[in-house]
């Protein structure tokens, strides 16, 4: 299993010189299992993932599964800029809950006048939409488990169980609700890689970010230790946290748990 980070930022892109090592694009993580492609979220990092697929596949058709955790801007804004979506020989299956709205409707609304000049109907790839709710779903030769997380308007966490290892993507989650706290630990149990929301510093969170739907590195460390996950990847970095802040976060977190890193745009983890 190969995990590649195309966008690691939360809330809004933050492309500026002091963020260049960890990156400024919003949420998008690509997982390869053999030659199969699974993409998590369509933040602005999806543009880069799309360019990379075009380079890699050249004239060959692309097929990918895309999981969308929720519809906040930082998780959908890359969609209209993902070039492979416009090629009729490529096909994509989008997996998403339609509890709030269907993904198709969300994309139609996002790509409508006066917000964007290209309509969803002009996206000529073969797009299919698969409605998912909390539960387990067999997919290819693996199992996908989904769970709701604690976030305004909801957010879904994903666990991929493959022969090569277990991958968990749990972003946009606020601690403090007993049911959701238990859910996220169940989702993370024994994972080889746990990607988890660490938007705030613990002090920032306590001093005025409660109820905003995000977590901090100290809670991320608690989850990795209590769930028996192996490697912790801090994700969804706050736009105001530059490289120096994130270096300090990793240093502090590693005092509690050694196998921790902050997600960096362009970096790869192999299991
Ligand atoms: Zn987000
Ligand atoms: Zn969100």
């Amino acid at each position: 299993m190969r995990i590649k980070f195309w966008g690691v930022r939360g809330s809004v892109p933050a492309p500026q010189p002091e963020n260049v090592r960890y990156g400024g694009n919003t949420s998008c993580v690509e997982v390869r299992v053999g030659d199969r492609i699974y993409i998590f979220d369509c933040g602005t990092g999806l543009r880069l993932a799309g360019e990379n697929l075009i380079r890699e596949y050249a004239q060959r058709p692309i097929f990918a599964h895309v999981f969308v955790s929720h519809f906040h801007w930082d998780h959908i804004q890359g969609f209209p800029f993902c070039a492979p979506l416009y090629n009729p020989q490529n096909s994509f299956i989008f997996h998403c809950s339609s509890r709030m709205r269907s993904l198709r409707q969300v994309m139609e609304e996002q790509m409508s006048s006066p917000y964007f000049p290209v309509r969803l109907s002009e996206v000529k790839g073969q797009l299919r939409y698969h409605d998912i709710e909390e539960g387990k779903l067999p997919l290819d030769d693996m199992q996908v488990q989904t769970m709701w997380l604690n976030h305004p308007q909801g957010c879904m966490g994903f666990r991929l169980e493959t022969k090569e290892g277990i991958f968990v993507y749990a972003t946009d989650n606020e601690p403090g609700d007993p049911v959701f706290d238990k859910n996220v630990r169940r989702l993370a149990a024994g994972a080889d890689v746990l990607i988890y929301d660490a938007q705030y510093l613990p002090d920032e969170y306590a001093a005025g970010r409660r109820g905003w739907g995000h977590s901090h590195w100290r809670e991320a460390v608690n989850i990795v230790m209590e769930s028996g996950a192996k490697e912790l990847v801090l994700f969804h970095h706050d736009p105001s946290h530059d490289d120096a802040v994130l270096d300090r976060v990793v240093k502090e977190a590693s005092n509690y748990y050694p196998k921790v890193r902050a997600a960096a745009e362009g970096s790869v983890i192999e299991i």
Side-chain angles (χ1 to χ4, degrees), residues 21 37 53-54 84 92 97-98 113 143 148-149 153 167 170 174 178-179 202-204 214 220 224 227-228 263:
R21 275 194 292 115
I37 306 166
L53 284 171
I54 288 173
F92 296 85
S97 166
S98 59
S113 176
Q143 174 152 269
W148 286 111
L149 303 175
Q153 291 125 13
F167 164 87
E174 177 160 359
V179 173
D203 299 355
E204 281 174 336
H214 294 290
V224 75
S227 67

PDB file of all heavy atoms in Angstrom, residues 21 37 53-54 84 92 97-98 113 143 148-149 153 167 170 174 178-179 202-204 214 220 224 227-228 263:
ATOM      1  N   ARG A  21       7.320  23.671   3.121  1.00  0.00           N
ATOM      2  CA  ARG A  21       7.712  22.271   3.378  1.00  0.00           C
ATOM      3  C   ARG A  21       6.504  21.369   3.632  1.00  0.00           C
ATOM      4  O   ARG A  21       6.442  20.248   3.151  1.00  0.00           O
ATOM      5  CB  ARG A  21       8.675  22.189   4.561  1.00  0.00           C
ATOM      6  CG  ARG A  21      10.124  22.416   4.138  1.00  0.00           C
ATOM      7  CD  ARG A  21      11.088  22.014   5.214  1.00  0.00           C
ATOM      8  NE  ARG A  21      10.986  22.894   6.369  1.00  0.00           N
ATOM      9  CZ  ARG A  21      10.586  22.514   7.577  1.00  0.00           C
ATOM     10  NH1 ARG A  21      10.257  21.252   7.822  1.00  0.00           N
ATOM     11  NH2 ARG A  21      10.518  23.386   8.563  1.00  0.00           N
ATOM     12  N   ILE A  37      -6.628   2.604  -7.455  1.00  0.00           N
ATOM     13  CA  ILE A  37      -6.477   3.980  -6.969  1.00  0.00           C
ATOM     14  C   ILE A  37      -7.662   4.355  -6.086  1.00  0.00           C
ATOM     15  O   ILE A  37      -8.819   4.225  -6.516  1.00  0.00           O
ATOM     16  CB  ILE A  37      -6.415   4.974  -8.150  1.00  0.00           C
ATOM     17  CG1 ILE A  37      -5.318   4.572  -9.130  1.00  0.00           C
ATOM     18  CG2 ILE A  37      -6.213   6.404  -7.655  1.00  0.00           C
ATOM     19  CD1 ILE A  37      -5.417   5.305 -10.476  1.00  0.00           C
ATOM     20  N   LEU A  53      -1.795  11.792 -12.309  1.00  0.00           N
ATOM     21  CA  LEU A  53      -2.426  10.635 -12.979  1.00  0.00           C
ATOM     22  C   LEU A  53      -2.299  10.752 -14.495  1.00  0.00           C
ATOM     23  O   LEU A  53      -2.046   9.767 -15.184  1.00  0.00           O
ATOM     24  CB  LEU A  53      -3.905  10.529 -12.578  1.00  0.00           C
ATOM     25  CG  LEU A  53      -4.165   9.980 -11.172  1.00  0.00           C
ATOM     26  CD1 LEU A  53      -5.644  10.122 -10.806  1.00  0.00           C
ATOM     27  CD2 LEU A  53      -3.730   8.525 -11.050  1.00  0.00           C
ATOM     28  N   ILE A  54      -2.480  11.977 -15.000  1.00  0.00           N
ATOM     29  CA  ILE A  54      -2.364  12.171 -16.450  1.00  0.00           C
ATOM     30  C   ILE A  54      -0.938  11.859 -16.920  1.00  0.00           C
ATOM     31  O   ILE A  54      -0.731  11.175 -17.922  1.00  0.00           O
ATOM     32  CB  ILE A  54      -2.786  13.605 -16.835  1.00  0.00           C
ATOM     33  CG1 ILE A  54      -4.309  13.725 -16.691  1.00  0.00           C
ATOM     34  CG2 ILE A  54      -2.357  13.946 -18.255  1.00  0.00           C
ATOM     35  CD1 ILE A  54      -4.841  15.120 -16.880  1.00  0.00           C
ATOM     36  N   PRO A  84      -8.379  14.946 -15.136  1.00  0.00           N
ATOM     37  CA  PRO A  84      -8.837  13.645 -15.657  1.00  0.00           C
ATOM     38  C   PRO A  84     -10.357  13.484 -15.631  1.00  0.00           C
ATOM     39  O   PRO A  84     -10.905  12.671 -16.385  1.00  0.00           O
ATOM     40  CB  PRO A  84      -8.183  12.626 -14.707  1.00  0.00           C
ATOM     41  CG  PRO A  84      -7.017  13.332 -14.115  1.00  0.00           C
ATOM     42  CD  PRO A  84      -7.418  14.782 -14.023  1.00  0.00           C
ATOM     43  N   PHE A  92     -14.741   7.323 -12.709  1.00  0.00           N
ATOM     44  CA  PHE A  92     -14.573   7.559 -11.285  1.00  0.00           C
ATOM     45  C   PHE A  92     -15.846   7.157 -10.558  1.00  0.00           C
ATOM     46  O   PHE A  92     -16.950   7.478 -11.019  1.00  0.00           O
ATOM     47  CB  PHE A  92     -14.305   9.050 -11.021  1.00  0.00           C
ATOM     48  CG  PHE A  92     -13.019   9.531 -11.627  1.00  0.00           C
ATOM     49  CD1 PHE A  92     -12.977   9.939 -12.959  1.00  0.00           C
ATOM     50  CD2 PHE A  92     -11.843   9.537 -10.897  1.00  0.00           C
ATOM     51  CE1 PHE A  92     -11.793  10.357 -13.540  1.00  0.00           C
ATOM     52  CE2 PHE A  92     -10.652   9.959 -11.469  1.00  0.00           C
ATOM     53  CZ  PHE A  92     -10.621  10.369 -12.790  1.00  0.00           C
ATOM     54  N   SER A  97     -21.797  10.096   1.641  1.00  0.00           N
ATOM     55  CA  SER A  97     -23.144  10.064   2.219  1.00  0.00           C
ATOM     56  C   SER A  97     -23.986  11.163   1.585  1.00  0.00           C
ATOM     57  O   SER A  97     -23.516  12.285   1.384  1.00  0.00           O
ATOM     58  CB  SER A  97     -23.072  10.303   3.721  1.00  0.00           C
ATOM     59  OG  SER A  97     -24.370  10.580   4.210  1.00  0.00           O
ATOM     60  N   SER A  98     -25.249  10.847   1.296  1.00  0.00           N
ATOM     61  CA  SER A  98     -26.147  11.894   0.787  1.00  0.00           C
ATOM     62  C   SER A  98     -27.119  12.339   1.886  1.00  0.00           C
ATOM     63  O   SER A  98     -28.207  12.830   1.587  1.00  0.00           O
ATOM     64  CB  SER A  98     -26.887  11.416  -0.455  1.00  0.00           C
ATOM     65  OG  SER A  98     -27.638  10.269  -0.141  1.00  0.00           O
ATOM     66  N   SER A 113     -23.217  29.277 -12.075  1.00  0.00           N
ATOM     67  CA  SER A 113     -23.047  30.725 -12.189  1.00  0.00           C
ATOM     68  C   SER A 113     -23.553  31.407 -10.914  1.00  0.00           C
ATOM     69  O   SER A 113     -24.589  30.996 -10.383  1.00  0.00           O
ATOM     70  CB  SER A 113     -23.864  31.208 -13.390  1.00  0.00           C
ATOM     71  OG  SER A 113     -23.801  32.602 -13.476  1.00  0.00           O
ATOM     72  N   GLN A 143     -12.007  -4.368   2.604  1.00  0.00           N
ATOM     73  CA  GLN A 143     -13.230  -3.929   3.270  1.00  0.00           C
ATOM     74  C   GLN A 143     -13.080  -2.452   3.651  1.00  0.00           C
ATOM     75  O   GLN A 143     -12.045  -2.045   4.179  1.00  0.00           O
ATOM     76  CB  GLN A 143     -13.452  -4.759   4.523  1.00  0.00           C
ATOM     77  CG  GLN A 143     -14.622  -4.250   5.330  1.00  0.00           C
ATOM     78  CD  GLN A 143     -15.284  -5.358   6.129  1.00  0.00           C
ATOM     79  OE1 GLN A 143     -16.221  -6.014   5.676  1.00  0.00           O
ATOM     80  NE2 GLN A 143     -14.782  -5.563   7.321  1.00  0.00           N
ATOM     81  N   TRP A 148     -19.397   8.047  11.253  1.00  0.00           N
ATOM     82  CA  TRP A 148     -19.577   9.489  11.387  1.00  0.00           C
ATOM     83  C   TRP A 148     -18.665  10.042  12.461  1.00  0.00           C
ATOM     84  O   TRP A 148     -18.454   9.415  13.500  1.00  0.00           O
ATOM     85  CB  TRP A 148     -21.034   9.820  11.743  1.00  0.00           C
ATOM     86  CG  TRP A 148     -21.951   9.658  10.577  1.00  0.00           C
ATOM     87  CD1 TRP A 148     -22.908   8.703  10.428  1.00  0.00           C
ATOM     88  CD2 TRP A 148     -21.988  10.464   9.394  1.00  0.00           C
ATOM     89  NE1 TRP A 148     -23.537   8.859   9.217  1.00  0.00           N
ATOM     90  CE2 TRP A 148     -22.997   9.928   8.566  1.00  0.00           C
ATOM     91  CE3 TRP A 148     -21.266  11.572   8.952  1.00  0.00           C
ATOM     92  CZ2 TRP A 148     -23.311  10.470   7.320  1.00  0.00           C
ATOM     93  CZ3 TRP A 148     -21.569  12.113   7.706  1.00  0.00           C
ATOM     94  CH2 TRP A 148     -22.577  11.566   6.911  1.00  0.00           C
ATOM     95  N   LEU A 149     -18.147  11.210  12.205  1.00  0.00           N
ATOM     96  CA  LEU A 149     -17.283  11.894  13.165  1.00  0.00           C
ATOM     97  C   LEU A 149     -18.010  13.125  13.690  1.00  0.00           C
ATOM     98  O   LEU A 149     -19.096  13.470  13.216  1.00  0.00           O
ATOM     99  CB  LEU A 149     -15.963  12.282  12.479  1.00  0.00           C
ATOM    100  CG  LEU A 149     -15.204  11.103  11.850  1.00  0.00           C
ATOM    101  CD1 LEU A 149     -13.984  11.594  11.089  1.00  0.00           C
ATOM    102  CD2 LEU A 149     -14.793  10.085  12.902  1.00  0.00           C
ATOM    103  N   GLN A 153     -22.281  19.818  10.524  1.00  0.00           N
ATOM    104  CA  GLN A 153     -22.846  19.244   9.294  1.00  0.00           C
ATOM    105  C   GLN A 153     -22.326  17.835   8.994  1.00  0.00           C
ATOM    106  O   GLN A 153     -22.586  17.283   7.929  1.00  0.00           O
ATOM    107  CB  GLN A 153     -22.622  20.154   8.075  1.00  0.00           C
ATOM    108  CG  GLN A 153     -23.429  21.441   8.148  1.00  0.00           C
ATOM    109  CD  GLN A 153     -22.589  22.707   8.020  1.00  0.00           C
ATOM    110  OE1 GLN A 153     -21.444  22.660   7.640  1.00  0.00           O
ATOM    111  NE2 GLN A 153     -23.188  23.815   8.353  1.00  0.00           N
ATOM    112  N   PHE A 167      -5.500   1.209   6.671  1.00  0.00           N
ATOM    113  CA  PHE A 167      -5.343   2.651   6.503  1.00  0.00           C
ATOM    114  C   PHE A 167      -6.589   3.320   7.063  1.00  0.00           C
ATOM    115  O   PHE A 167      -7.710   2.904   6.747  1.00  0.00           O
ATOM    116  CB  PHE A 167      -5.214   2.937   5.003  1.00  0.00           C
ATOM    117  CG  PHE A 167      -5.425   4.372   4.613  1.00  0.00           C
ATOM    118  CD1 PHE A 167      -4.369   5.281   4.623  1.00  0.00           C
ATOM    119  CD2 PHE A 167      -6.682   4.823   4.208  1.00  0.00           C
ATOM    120  CE1 PHE A 167      -4.567   6.601   4.244  1.00  0.00           C
ATOM    121  CE2 PHE A 167      -6.884   6.149   3.828  1.00  0.00           C
ATOM    122  CZ  PHE A 167      -5.814   7.037   3.852  1.00  0.00           C
ATOM    123  N   ALA A 170      -9.274   9.904   9.163  1.00  0.00           N
ATOM    124  CA  ALA A 170     -10.280  10.466  10.082  1.00  0.00           C
ATOM    125  C   ALA A 170      -9.922  11.931  10.319  1.00  0.00           C
ATOM    126  O   ALA A 170      -9.191  12.276  11.244  1.00  0.00           O
ATOM    127  CB  ALA A 170     -10.295   9.685  11.392  1.00  0.00           C
ATOM    128  N   GLU A 174     -13.992  16.672  16.186  1.00  0.00           N
ATOM    129  CA  GLU A 174     -13.734  17.343  17.465  1.00  0.00           C
ATOM    130  C   GLU A 174     -13.886  16.356  18.613  1.00  0.00           C
ATOM    131  O   GLU A 174     -14.875  15.623  18.665  1.00  0.00           O
ATOM    132  CB  GLU A 174     -14.726  18.511  17.651  1.00  0.00           C
ATOM    133  CG  GLU A 174     -14.552  19.187  19.002  1.00  0.00           C
ATOM    134  CD  GLU A 174     -15.126  20.597  19.063  1.00  0.00           C
ATOM    135  OE1 GLU A 174     -15.655  21.083  18.048  1.00  0.00           O
ATOM    136  OE2 GLU A 174     -15.016  21.207  20.145  1.00  0.00           O
ATOM    137  N   PRO A 178     -18.736  11.649  24.002  1.00  0.00           N
ATOM    138  CA  PRO A 178     -18.355  10.263  24.330  1.00  0.00           C
ATOM    139  C   PRO A 178     -18.616   9.270  23.195  1.00  0.00           C
ATOM    140  O   PRO A 178     -17.798   8.377  22.963  1.00  0.00           O
ATOM    141  CB  PRO A 178     -19.225   9.926  25.552  1.00  0.00           C
ATOM    142  CG  PRO A 178     -19.788  11.211  26.045  1.00  0.00           C
ATOM    143  CD  PRO A 178     -19.674  12.233  24.963  1.00  0.00           C
ATOM    144  N   VAL A 179     -19.730   9.437  22.477  1.00  0.00           N
ATOM    145  CA  VAL A 179     -20.049   8.476  21.409  1.00  0.00           C
ATOM    146  C   VAL A 179     -19.037   8.597  20.269  1.00  0.00           C
ATOM    147  O   VAL A 179     -18.462   7.612  19.801  1.00  0.00           O
ATOM    148  CB  VAL A 179     -21.489   8.707  20.877  1.00  0.00           C
ATOM    149  CG1 VAL A 179     -21.762   7.833  19.666  1.00  0.00           C
ATOM    150  CG2 VAL A 179     -22.502   8.432  21.984  1.00  0.00           C
ATOM    151  N   PRO A 202      -3.129  22.411  21.365  1.00  0.00           N
ATOM    152  CA  PRO A 202      -4.037  22.193  22.506  1.00  0.00           C
ATOM    153  C   PRO A 202      -4.466  23.508  23.166  1.00  0.00           C
ATOM    154  O   PRO A 202      -5.640  23.676  23.518  1.00  0.00           O
ATOM    155  CB  PRO A 202      -3.199  21.326  23.455  1.00  0.00           C
ATOM    156  CG  PRO A 202      -2.240  20.606  22.554  1.00  0.00           C
ATOM    157  CD  PRO A 202      -1.931  21.561  21.438  1.00  0.00           C
ATOM    158  N   ASP A 203      -3.540  24.458  23.297  1.00  0.00           N
ATOM    159  CA  ASP A 203      -3.878  25.751  23.936  1.00  0.00           C
ATOM    160  C   ASP A 203      -4.866  26.557  23.092  1.00  0.00           C
ATOM    161  O   ASP A 203      -5.778  27.179  23.617  1.00  0.00           O
ATOM    162  CB  ASP A 203      -2.629  26.641  24.091  1.00  0.00           C
ATOM    163  CG  ASP A 203      -1.603  25.994  24.956  1.00  0.00           C
ATOM    164  OD1 ASP A 203      -1.913  24.926  25.497  1.00  0.00           O
ATOM    165  OD2 ASP A 203      -0.494  26.553  25.059  1.00  0.00           O
ATOM    166  N   GLU A 204      -4.639  26.567  21.791  1.00  0.00           N
ATOM    167  CA  GLU A 204      -5.556  27.294  20.897  1.00  0.00           C
ATOM    168  C   GLU A 204      -6.962  26.722  21.013  1.00  0.00           C
ATOM    169  O   GLU A 204      -7.948  27.460  21.067  1.00  0.00           O
ATOM    170  CB  GLU A 204      -5.143  27.108  19.425  1.00  0.00           C
ATOM    171  CG  GLU A 204      -4.003  27.939  18.948  1.00  0.00           C
ATOM    172  CD  GLU A 204      -3.611  27.541  17.525  1.00  0.00           C
ATOM    173  OE1 GLU A 204      -3.880  26.403  17.092  1.00  0.00           O
ATOM    174  OE2 GLU A 204      -3.010  28.381  16.862  1.00  0.00           O
ATOM    175  N   HIS A 214     -12.891  20.641  15.263  1.00  0.00           N
ATOM    176  CA  HIS A 214     -11.544  20.116  14.999  1.00  0.00           C
ATOM    177  C   HIS A 214     -10.830  19.705  16.273  1.00  0.00           C
ATOM    178  O   HIS A 214     -11.242  20.020  17.380  1.00  0.00           O
ATOM    179  CB  HIS A 214     -10.722  21.150  14.227  1.00  0.00           C
ATOM    180  CG  HIS A 214     -11.281  21.385  12.869  1.00  0.00           C
ATOM    181  ND1 HIS A 214     -11.210  20.438  11.871  1.00  0.00           N
ATOM    182  CD2 HIS A 214     -11.979  22.432  12.360  1.00  0.00           C
ATOM    183  CE1 HIS A 214     -11.835  20.903  10.800  1.00  0.00           C
ATOM    184  NE2 HIS A 214     -12.304  22.108  11.067  1.00  0.00           N
ATOM    185  N   ALA A 220      -4.818  13.597  19.252  1.00  0.00           N
ATOM    186  CA  ALA A 220      -4.358  12.636  18.243  1.00  0.00           C
ATOM    187  C   ALA A 220      -3.465  11.583  18.886  1.00  0.00           C
ATOM    188  O   ALA A 220      -3.576  10.382  18.613  1.00  0.00           O
ATOM    189  CB  ALA A 220      -3.614  13.368  17.125  1.00  0.00           C
ATOM    190  N   VAL A 224      -4.100   7.493  19.084  1.00  0.00           N
ATOM    191  CA  VAL A 224      -3.195   6.471  18.551  1.00  0.00           C
ATOM    192  C   VAL A 224      -2.793   5.501  19.667  1.00  0.00           C
ATOM    193  O   VAL A 224      -2.728   4.285  19.465  1.00  0.00           O
ATOM    194  CB  VAL A 224      -1.978   7.097  17.821  1.00  0.00           C
ATOM    195  CG1 VAL A 224      -0.957   7.678  18.767  1.00  0.00           C
ATOM    196  CG2 VAL A 224      -1.329   6.093  16.881  1.00  0.00           C
ATOM    197  N   SER A 227      -5.968   3.325  20.746  1.00  0.00           N
ATOM    198  CA  SER A 227      -6.554   2.453  19.715  1.00  0.00           C
ATOM    199  C   SER A 227      -5.572   1.381  19.250  1.00  0.00           C
ATOM    200  O   SER A 227      -5.962   0.479  18.514  1.00  0.00           O
ATOM    201  CB  SER A 227      -6.975   3.291  18.500  1.00  0.00           C
ATOM    202  OG  SER A 227      -5.828   3.821  17.866  1.00  0.00           O
ATOM    203  N   GLY A 228      -4.309   1.500  19.644  1.00  0.00           N
ATOM    204  CA  GLY A 228      -3.329   0.524  19.166  1.00  0.00           C
ATOM    205  C   GLY A 228      -2.970   0.704  17.704  1.00  0.00           C
ATOM    206  O   GLY A 228      -2.419  -0.193  17.076  1.00  0.00           O
ATOM    207  N   ALA A 263       1.587  15.412   8.269  1.00  0.00           N
ATOM    208  CA  ALA A 263       1.427  15.176   6.833  1.00  0.00           C
ATOM    209  C   ALA A 263       2.083  16.319   6.062  1.00  0.00           C
ATOM    210  O   ALA A 263       1.904  17.487   6.410  1.00  0.00           O
ATOM    211  CB  ALA A 263      -0.053  15.082   6.479  1.00  0.00           C
TER     212      ALA A 263
END
